[in-house]
Amino acid sequence: MEAVEMNSVSLKRPHSEDDVASADEIKRQKILEKSKAGSDSGQSIETVTEQLKDIKSEMIPNDESEEQEEEDLGDSDEDGDPESFADMMKHGLTESDVGITKFVSSHKGFSGILKERYSDFVVHEIGKDGRVSHLDDFSVPVDDEVNFEDPSEETFTVLSDEDKQRLEELQLFKNKEASVAIEVIEDTKEKRTIIHQAVKSLFPGLETKTEDRDGKKYIIAYHAAGKKALANPRKHSWPKSRGSYCHFVLYKENKDTMDAINVLSKFLRVKPNIFSYMGTKDKRAITVQEIAVLRITAQRLAHLNKCLMNFKLGNFSYKNHPLKLGELQGNHFTVVLRNITGTDDQIEQAMHSLREIGFINYYGMQRFGTTAVPTYQIGRAILQNNWTEVMDLILKPRPGAEKGYLVKCREEWAKTKDPAAALKKLPVKRCVEGQLLRGLLKYGMKNIISAFGIIPRNNRLMYIHSYQSYVWNNMVSKRIEEYGLRAVPGDLILKGATAVHIEEGDVDNYTIHDVVMPLPGFDVIYPKHKIGEAYKEMLVADNLDINNMRHKIRDYSLSGAYRKIIIRPQNVNWEVVAYDDPKIPLFTTDLDKLEGKPLPLLPVDGKFRALKMEFSLPPSTYATMAIREVLKMDTSIKNQTQLNTTWLR
């Protein structure tokens, strides 16, 4: 999981009944203002209902591109009811449920609102070369060679919507036509050339020719080489001097990475799997990251800026390689915590501690799901080879925040144990529940292993990784409770890719920032002190053998790894600002700078105060855990909704 996968939460700390009443009143006023205003002309402001929908989204992403696309269903009234959501989240997880119990700093916590606006949370990807990705250039690189992949601007408007529809159906073999004829109204060679270019550029796999019919000129579009041409369009048309991949910076607002790629693939009429990237980025945020796409020109991509909502493309270049997951060095965060209550001294202590000591490298709450059935429980059942329980945990009714159709599906399953009947209750078949039900229909109730295998591999592995994370969180809390913030004999450190124990005579050579702890698996060693025994005891209690983590199904053999106990963020900076209007932005984004939008003038003494902070984190660490350390607050949705029950209602 990426460091940026974060839920939308309000981190509020009630200090007294008066403070609670005051905070509640401020929040009620803000919600009323939002519901009346809708959105301003700058950054859009979601209503509280939309914020709650973001919170309730499934926390296990589907990394299989072909499986990502789902119908836009619209939520039922019950999904947007804040009161019912607050009630449902009473059944969710708190941090202590998943082992998150310790802090490393000594300062007193304070209140703040995280992601009151999605534009309060900005993420810039850091590449493996240490360069921070920024959108600061819309220009298109110029090639020495010109070809049909470089159409003129007129190319994109010369075809009517009806022409485009017919051509798309022809391209995708969706009709019985062998060709599509487009009449040339203004019969000039230039006009015909533009139509030829438009068809070949916008519809890979199609070729064109000119024909005379009854005294009129027509451009005839047809498949040159059947379905192979669609899969691998016109290799010969791409200049040899140009790299096969167009790299670009994707700037997106309030949309996750795969959603953005699916939108781009639809506009370009290509498959999503020709795009590659180094990491997925959060939805409820503004994020900037590098993307690579195979044999799509910068000009075609740049044209999309005129029709895309909520994201922009720029900084184009051609290279000979795609991008790979995990190649990034990390992410740089710019975060605004609004309506803070801390004194200047409290804030200084908190931020100095974050910079000098850091935070416990816990796996964040989004790793474990949002409902009363945590994902780690399913992972544990997989490792135990208890497939009936796996099926039951995924499909049984559960209290918690879920869409209405999932509730009905679970009720049907509990009543009938009929996969077909339960599946009929699901308008979205590509969710995990729908995939498992389809598997049960195909393979039968006696072959749950094969039925479960229909779920995309990344999703299945997420369950066992969740269990690993659950164990790690609990063990690191025990380690800090037992030995504090110092390296001790028997701890583990990494030397290259190998973990070794700290010996008695070497302990003074290391600090807590050097210490790692293992994720349980078949290829790791454990600390040589009480925590090593605690690992074994925890797995024994879960009917697992720590010395034999290999599964009879190879995919579920748990490979171990090592993870640092404490992360010290880099490039930590902060500033406290005053403001009156909760709707105004408090810093400029890359897009603001490109468009020349100045930052609004902020008052010296405003009604509210905000903490603006910046920091960089390595991959696989959670920004929520850094913010938790600053505020000293439980970041779970359950805790936040219970703190805010009054204003939600």
Side-chain angles (χ1 to χ4, degrees):
M1 295 283 282
E2 276 293 309
V4 296
E5 299 175 285
M6 296 179 60
N7 295 326
S8 169
V9 292
S10 299
L11 302 183
K12 297 294 290 178
R13 174 187 294 277
H15 296 291
S16 68
E17 291 184 3
D18 290 341
D19 286 346
V20 175
S22 174
D24 288 340
E25 183 56 33
I26 290 170
K27 288 175 179 175
R28 279 195 293 270
Q29 290 302 317
K30 289 182 180 178
I31 299 304
L32 287 173
E33 288 171 16
K34 289 182 182 181
S35 64
K36 290 175 183 176
S39 63
D40 59 74
S41 58
Q43 305 291 351
S44 52
I45 303 175
E46 290 76 21
T47 62
V48 70
T49 298
E50 289 169 318
Q51 293 181 32
L52 294 174
K53 287 178 186 175
D54 285 340
I55 293 174
K56 292 183 287 178
S57 60
E58 284 293 330
M59 296 317 298
I60 298 184
N62 187 342
D63 289 331
E64 301 286 334
S65 298
E66 295 297 324
E67 296 293 328
Q68 277 291 321
E69 193 176 332
E70 293 188 357
E71 298 173 51
D72 184 13
L73 292 169
D75 294 308
S76 63
D77 290 341
E78 65 189 22
D79 287 335
D81 179 355
E83 179 174 354
S84 63
F85 178 62
D87 290 339
M88 286 191 292
M89 284 317 302
K90 292 175 183 175
H91 306 284
L93 298 171
T94 64
E95 287 185 346
S96 61
D97 292 328
V98 294
I100 303 172
T101 59
K102 302 296 181 183
F103 295 97
V104 297
S105 52
S106 58
H107 72 273
K108 184 180 179 183
F110 55 92
S111 295
I113 303 176
L114 171 63
K115 291 192 178 184
E116 183 174 41
R117 298 161 52 88
Y118 67 75
S119 54
D120 286 344
F121 193 88
V122 179
V123 187
H124 288 88
E125 189 171 72
I126 306 172
K128 60 182 177 181
D129 59 357
R131 182 178 56 84
V132 179
S133 291
H134 282 281
L135 181 77
D136 53 22
D137 185 5
F138 284 140
S139 65
V140 173
V142 178
D143 274 338
D144 293 333
E145 300 183 54
V146 178
N147 66 94
F148 275 143
E149 285 290 322
D150 289 322
S152 67
E153 189 64 28
E154 193 177 351
T155 296
F156 298 101
T157 57
V158 71
L159 299 173
S160 69
D161 290 340
E162 182 182 353
D163 289 337
K164 290 176 182 177
Q165 180 68 30
R166 293 167 60 213
L167 288 165
E168 183 173 2
E169 290 174 355
L170 175 68
Q171 178 202 34
L172 300 176
F173 299 92
K174 287 187 175 180
N175 57 24
K176 296 180 180 179
E177 292 183 65
S179 63
V180 166
I182 301 168
E183 184 180 355
V184 184
I185 305 299
E186 303 169 23
D187 184 17
T188 63
K189 184 176 181 181
E190 290 77 12
K191 191 70 172 182
R192 293 197 301 272
T193 299
I194 290 170
I195 297 175
H196 283 294
Q197 287 180 338
V199 173
K200 292 181 178 183
S201 298
L202 300 178
F203 300 93
L206 297 185
E207 293 294 343
T208 58
K209 60 184 178 180
T210 304
E211 284 188 4
D212 282 307
R213 294 183 181 179
D214 300 325
K216 295 180 180 179
K217 282 280 198 308
Y218 288 86
I219 304 297
I220 309 300
Y222 61 97
H223 278 287
K227 294 189 177 182
K228 289 183 180 178
L230 178 61
N232 196 8
R234 300 186 316 286
K235 276 190 175 182
H236 64 276
S237 71
W238 193 266
K240 292 181 181 178
S241 61
R242 176 194 287 169
S244 294
Y245 294 87
C246 184
H247 287 232
F248 62 94
V249 168
L250 170 66
Y251 169 102
K252 63 181 182 63
E253 300 179 358
N254 207 31
K255 189 175 282 291
D256 69 32
T257 302
M258 272 313 306
D259 283 343
I261 285 174
N262 282 331
V263 170
L264 292 177
S265 65
K266 284 181 180 179
F267 272 91
L268 296 168
R269 296 179 175 87
V270 296
K271 292 184 176 181
N273 61 8
I274 70 170
F275 291 86
S276 57
Y277 49 90
M278 294 183 287
T280 56
K281 298 291 179 282
D282 192 27
K283 176 182 178 181
R284 189 169 164 76
I286 292 176
T287 70
V288 184
Q289 68 183 116
E290 188 174 351
I291 305 287
V293 59
L294 175 65
R295 291 179 180 253
I296 298 292
T297 65
Q299 187 170 1
R300 286 183 68 187
L301 293 165
H303 176 76
L304 297 181
N305 283 329
K306 297 182 178 181
C307 49
L308 292 174
M309 296 289 290
N310 295 330
F311 44 95
K312 296 288 183 183
L313 317 179
N315 296 79
F316 303 102
S317 62
Y318 293 108
K319 298 180 182 179
N320 289 316
H321 60 85
L323 295 169
K324 295 180 181 178
L325 280 170
E327 281 187 329
L328 73 169
Q329 194 177 105
N331 294 284
H332 185 73
F333 297 85
T334 305
V335 178
V336 170
L337 298 176
R338 292 186 183 249
N339 199 19
I340 55 170
T341 62
T343 66
D344 288 344
D345 186 52
Q346 285 176 319
I347 293 165
E348 286 294 306
Q349 287 184 41
M351 295 307 297
H352 274 289
S353 177
L354 182 67
R355 184 165 62 188
E356 301 304 321
I357 300 175
F359 63 97
I360 304 172
N361 194 19
Y362 286 124
Y363 286 95
M365 293 302 297
Q366 55 270 40
R367 189 79 163 183
F368 306 103
T370 58
T371 68
V373 178
T375 51
Y376 75 80
Q377 291 184 3
I378 299 169
R380 180 169 56 200
I382 293 169
L383 295 171
Q384 292 169 341
N385 212 30
N386 188 343
W387 294 100
T388 301
E389 185 174 358
V390 171
M391 177 181 68
D392 192 42
L393 286 170
I394 293 175
L395 295 177
K396 72 179 182 180
R398 61 182 71 172
E402 289 201 305
K403 295 182 184 295
Y405 56 78
L406 270 175
V407 174
K408 292 171 185 173
C409 169
R410 296 188 193 287
E411 289 172 349
E412 183 65 33
W413 174 256
K415 183 170 64 177
T416 66
K417 289 294 189 288
D418 181 348
L423 199 57
K424 285 180 181 178
K425 302 291 184 181
L426 283 180
V428 176
K429 303 294 192 290
R430 289 173 179 159
C431 59
V432 168
E433 293 82 1
Q435 289 161 335
L436 178 56
L437 289 168
R438 280 190 294 167
L440 292 170
L441 267 176
K442 181 175 181 179
Y443 295 106
M445 298 285 285
K446 293 184 178 180
N447 195 351
I448 301 171
I449 295 176
S450 296
F452 182 72
I454 281 187
I455 298 170
R457 182 175 183 272
N458 283 354
N459 282 27
R460 288 181 276 124
L461 296 186
M462 282 289 292
Y463 289 121
I464 59 174
H465 293 159
S466 177
Y467 177 74
Q468 276 186 312
S469 305
Y470 171 71
V471 173
W472 196 91
N473 279 1
N474 278 278
M475 291 299 101
V476 81
S477 291
K478 284 183 179 295
R479 161 62 181 76
I480 289 172
E481 181 177 351
E482 187 71 32
Y483 299 111
L485 297 179
R486 58 192 176 90
V488 298
D491 273 337
L492 292 168
I493 56 166
L494 287 178
K495 291 191 173 179
T498 305
V500 298
H501 294 101
I502 299 177
E503 301 297 335
E504 186 78 44
D506 290 336
V507 71
D508 291 337
N509 296 326
Y510 301 103
T511 71
I512 191 66
H513 296 100
D514 300 311
V515 178
V516 299
M517 283 182 47
L519 289 151
F522 58 77
D523 54 357
V524 295
I525 60 173
Y526 294 87
K528 284 184 178 177
H529 49 51
K530 291 180 181 178
I531 307 306
E533 291 303 313
Y535 270 97
K536 294 176 185 176
E537 291 169 7
M538 186 170 184
L539 267 68
V540 165
D542 287 340
N543 295 316
L544 295 171
D545 182 356
I546 200 168
N547 297 313
N548 183 17
M549 301 301 288
R550 294 187 184 274
H551 199 280
K552 68 177 185 180
I553 301 170
R554 185 176 178 182
D555 265 359
Y556 311 135
S557 289
L558 203 56
S559 176
Y562 299 97
R563 182 177 177 87
K564 283 200 168 187
I565 289 181
I566 303 292
I567 290 292
R568 187 160 43 192
Q570 301 299 305
N571 308 310
V572 179
N573 292 290
W574 67 92
E575 177 187 8
V576 176
V577 297
Y579 65 102
D580 288 320
D581 184 353
K583 297 189 292 294
I584 63 169
L586 297 180
F587 57 83
T588 52
T589 65
D590 286 0
L591 188 58
D592 291 335
K593 292 171 186 174
L594 272 171
E595 295 178 347
K597 288 184 181 177
L599 190 66
L601 191 63
L602 298 176
V604 176
D605 295 312
K607 288 188 292 185
F608 310 110
R609 294 159 69 240
L611 171 60
K612 292 166 56 178
M613 56 178 165
E614 292 188 60
F615 52 88
S616 300
L617 294 178
S620 192
T621 53
Y622 288 73
T624 35
M625 296 296 100
I627 294 165
R628 167 188 184 268
E629 189 70 45
V630 169
L631 295 175
K632 290 289 188 74
M633 288 295 295
D634 182 330
T635 62
S636 68
I637 302 171
K638 176 177 180 177
N639 184 59
Q640 302 314 317
T641 52
Q642 302 318 309
L643 286 176
N644 293 318
T645 298
T646 303
W647 72 267
L648 278 169
R649 295 184 176 186

